[in-house]
Amino acid sequence: MESAPFEYTRLEGGKKHYSTSLGGVMGVKDVSKETWLFVSPHDDDACIGAGLWIQAALAAKVKVCLLVVTDGRMGYCQPMPRQEVVETRRVETYESCEKLGLDGSCVKYIDYPDGGLFSLQGRLAAEERPEIDDIRGFVGLQNAMTYHLRTMRPARVFVPTPTDLHPDHQVTYRELMISLFHASGAVWPELGAAIERVPRVYEMAVYCDFSGPPNLQLLANQEAFERKLESIAAFRSQEQIAKLVENVRGGGPYEYLREVAFHLYTPGDYRPLFGTTGQRSEM
Ligand SMILES: [Zn+2]
């Protein structure tokens, strides 16, 4: 008997739940009604961290979107004009996505300067950074991310773990987290209608370990694994890419995700610390 192309395991409460259904492992009946957004600080991060999850989602008829945050201008290995670097990487990105089965129309760019995201945190009036393309009169990652979240309206969002060393990865993670709350609130109505609920968030590992143990495993068949490797190899202008492909090959057809739990303040969570006695009358 031929094995399923994708097999999933979810860790929950010390137990392992095995499934061959993506909806099953994500705890939803019909995953094909969902949009999933992969946020990639650089064009190659999503296929390295989640090239198998992207294929699995597409196979399950999920609407998959890719949002690339930077323009890739710092990713050159030979001296060349900035615009040539950006254009070369753009062509490679679409080729990489095609290997995963992701249509180019599902790829959007924030297009901020590679290596310079720290200076574009928050939200600024467009005239403060005239060299940056604005959205509705503002620039900054929180403005752009809130706009794209309200436009794409994903049920689930995937982003490289904040433990990665690259500052662009750390900034992307932080700005995305607050933007999820902006997008589902009433602020900045010119960026679109608020999304109904805060999407579920998953960390993907690209270069460094997760910030805590992952709770989802995907095991893919050899065909899907080869496609992931080809999608990474498409970034051939990156001269170190062959070595990276070999490293990923050595890891085998497995990918992991860590679901992020939001810890929002509730006073009741702290009450047990102080006991049930010690009321006002005893003071
Ligand atoms: Zn990156």
Side-chain angles (χ1 to χ4, degrees):
M1 205 175 98
E2 205 176 314
S3 62
F6 304 103
E7 298 172 48
Y8 311 93
T9 308
R10 180 184 190 93
L11 300 182
E12 201 168 317
K15 290 205 170 99
K16 291 178 194 153
H17 303 274
Y18 171 83
S19 178
T20 53
S21 145
L22 185 58
V25 78
M26 290 297 188
V28 64
K29 209 179 250 178
D30 188 1
V31 80
S32 74
K33 289 195 169 69
E34 294 191 345
T35 297
W36 289 14
L37 171 61
F38 291 82
V39 179
S40 201
H42 307 102
D43 44 21
D44 54 357
D45 295 319
C47 68
I48 297 169
L52 299 176
W53 285 102
I54 290 172
Q55 292 182 70
L58 289 167
K61 306 260 187 294
V62 172
K63 180 167 193 257
V64 175
C65 301
L66 175 66
L67 182 62
V68 182
V69 182
T70 59
D71 61 5
R73 68 173 67 175
M74 290 300 169
Y76 59 87
C77 302
Q78 302 291 336
M80 64 168 84
R82 178 206 292 170
Q83 199 48 36
E84 198 179 320
V85 182
V86 171
E87 282 166 17
T88 302
R89 290 189 61 151
R90 196 67 51 113
V91 170
E92 292 172 347
T93 302
Y94 288 112
E95 189 184 321
S96 167
C97 287
E98 198 185 307
K99 301 281 184 197
L100 298 177
L102 188 62
D103 190 82
S105 63
C106 304
V107 182
K108 301 284 179 232
Y109 279 84
I110 292 180
D111 231 10
Y112 281 177
D114 183 9
L117 289 188
F118 64 92
S119 75
L120 282 155
Q121 296 178 82
R123 190 182 197 232
L124 308 160
E127 52 269 28
E128 290 186 51
R129 294 295 295 269
E131 81 283 16
I132 303 291
D133 286 343
D134 74 286
I135 298 174
R136 311 280 194 266
F138 290 87
V139 300
L141 286 162
Q142 289 176 36
N143 189 66
M145 287 176 169
T146 300
Y147 168 79
H148 286 292
L149 286 166
R150 285 180 177 168
T151 305
M152 298 173 185
R153 313 184 80 75
R156 301 173 202 270
V157 175
F158 304 79
V159 63
T161 168
T163 48
D164 270 336
L165 297 177
H166 200 304
D168 283 347
H169 288 220
Q170 297 169 6
V171 171
T172 294
Y173 186 91
R174 281 203 307 271
E175 294 289 281
L176 178 65
M177 289 302 144
I178 186 62
S179 298
L180 292 167
F181 289 92
H182 291 324
S184 51
V187 290
W188 313 338
E190 68 273 30
L191 297 177
I195 51 178
E196 291 74 23
R197 66 176 65 161
V198 178
R200 287 183 182 272
V201 181
Y202 302 83
E203 290 174 15
M204 49 189 182
V206 180
Y207 296 112
C208 295
D209 282 346
F210 287 101
S211 57
N215 64 321
L216 294 164
Q217 174 184 274
L218 184 164
L219 166 60
N221 66 8
Q222 197 58 30
E223 192 189 334
F225 186 40
E226 291 299 331
R227 279 199 297 265
K228 170 182 172 168
L229 297 171
E230 285 171 20
S231 80
I232 300 171
F235 292 95
R236 67 187 75 77
S237 69
Q238 309 304 295
E239 292 180 7
Q240 70 285 5
I241 207 75
K243 192 168 180 298
L244 180 66
V245 169
E246 282 322 296
N247 283 348
V248 175
R249 186 185 291 282
Y254 294 88
E255 276 179 1
Y256 297 90
L257 292 173
R258 179 175 180 273
E259 194 166 358
V260 176
F262 290 109
H263 297 285
L264 302 179
Y265 175 56
T266 310
D269 292 347
Y270 296 98
R271 221 170 286 140
L273 281 176
F274 296 87
T276 50
T277 55
Q279 307 299 329
R280 289 178 58 177
S281 59
E282 295 175 30
M283 285 178 76

